[in-house]
Amino acid sequence: ICKMTKKLLFLVFSAATVCGAQAQTGKTEADQNQVVLKSKSDSASYAFGLSVAEDLKSRGVKGLNYALVARAMEDIFSNRTVTLNGDQRQKAIYSFLESAGNELKAASSAEGKRFLEENKKKPGIRTTASGLQYEVLQAGTGAKPKASDEVTVHYKGTLLNGKQFDSSYDRNEPLKIQLNQVIPGWTEGVQLMPVGSRCRFFVPSQLGYGERGAGAEIPPFSVLI
């Protein structure tokens, strides 16, 4: 009982000390948790961690035991005996990523379907037989291109959450493309546009990058705008 009492008193004293220090310095909890990088090694270490974490998060990974991630890195760099051999590592990673990816794909697919179902009910939205949705912002008066034509376009692409993944406007240079060498949504949609038109396309995933997505910018089953 005496030992427990001393431990409780120590915890209370520690908490009071932290609160007092925060009050004196005016620092918030966020300030206290701010990472301090004192050297090139610190910066590189933190950068490696950010890079790995962002990549895993983009794959739908969550719920990792961060202490074990750090321990594994220590084991490798310290030449310690590790718990998993090469085959076991691959199986563990593959199984975990497969489950995380399936969850991410299911959520993204459901979100896209809900969006398109609601979007097609809005005034001015037209839907083609393939499921492509589009809105004419400005009707051009020129000829309509064929799939085999080269076209020059300005464009901006975003995900449903508004995140931009590409823009020719930002580069201040339109794109010249062979129309049959892009995603199906573009091939179909641009053929609907007389030269001089401006349109907004809502591209279902099956007319975009499908279940594979495109790099870290476009997740699987993404509806593209």
Side-chain angles (χ1 to χ4, degrees):
I1 294 174
C2 291
K3 289 182 179 179
M4 289 178 64
T5 303
K6 288 181 180 179
K7 185 175 183 180
L8 287 171
L9 286 173
F10 174 76
L11 290 173
V12 171
F13 175 75
S14 298
T17 302
V18 171
C19 291
Q22 289 181 347
Q24 290 176 11
T25 62
K27 291 184 177 181
T28 65
E29 183 177 351
D31 294 326
Q32 295 289 330
N33 291 332
Q34 184 67 39
V35 174
V36 178
L37 306 175
K38 298 181 178 180
S39 65
K40 288 183 179 180
S41 177
D42 286 352
S43 297
S45 299
Y46 193 63
F48 278 124
L50 292 175
S51 180
V52 171
E54 286 176 345
D55 177 65
L56 292 175
K57 188 176 181 180
S58 72
R59 298 168 185 261
V61 172
K62 55 186 176 181
L64 288 176
N65 185 325
Y66 307 124
L68 285 177
V69 173
R71 172 59 190 270
M73 296 187 75
E74 289 181 6
D75 286 348
I76 290 296
F77 282 102
S78 299
N79 295 316
R80 297 173 186 157
T81 300
V82 296
T83 305
L84 299 177
N85 62 33
D87 288 340
Q88 291 171 327
R89 293 180 220 175
Q90 290 185 357
K91 288 180 181 179
I93 291 173
Y94 178 81
S95 176
F96 194 86
L97 286 179
E98 184 179 38
S99 297
N102 288 337
E103 289 183 19
L104 182 64
K105 290 175 184 178
S108 182
S109 180
E111 179 190 23
K113 289 179 179 178
R114 284 195 300 270
F115 173 84
L116 292 171
E117 280 298 315
E118 292 300 316
N119 192 60
K120 70 180 182 181
K121 301 173 186 177
K122 296 178 180 178
I125 301 298
R126 308 175 191 182
T127 305
T128 70
S130 70
L132 176 68
Q133 296 180 6
Y134 68 101
E135 177 183 14
V136 178
L137 305 177
Q138 176 182 315
T141 58
K144 291 183 179 179
K146 301 185 295 294
S148 57
D149 287 338
E150 182 181 77
V151 297
T152 302
V153 295
H154 255 316
Y155 69 96
K156 178 177 75 171
T158 68
L159 304 178
L160 292 184
N161 61 10
K163 181 182 178 182
Q164 179 178 296
F165 57 82
D166 199 5
S167 172
S168 64
Y169 295 102
D170 289 353
R171 295 189 292 273
N172 198 32
E173 183 179 1
L175 175 70
K176 288 186 178 182
I177 55 169
Q178 192 77 22
L179 198 49
N180 57 9
Q181 295 181 2
V182 290
I183 59 173
W186 265 49
T187 302
E188 178 185 0
V190 177
Q191 289 184 83
L192 301 172
M193 301 175 65
V195 172
S197 298
R198 291 180 62 241
C199 286
R200 179 177 291 116
F201 294 108
F202 304 89
V203 183
S205 65
Q206 71 271 17
L207 299 178
Y209 294 97
E211 64 179 18
R212 299 185 65 179
E217 295 294 321
I218 301 177
F221 293 108
S222 291
V223 173
L224 309 179
I225 301 177

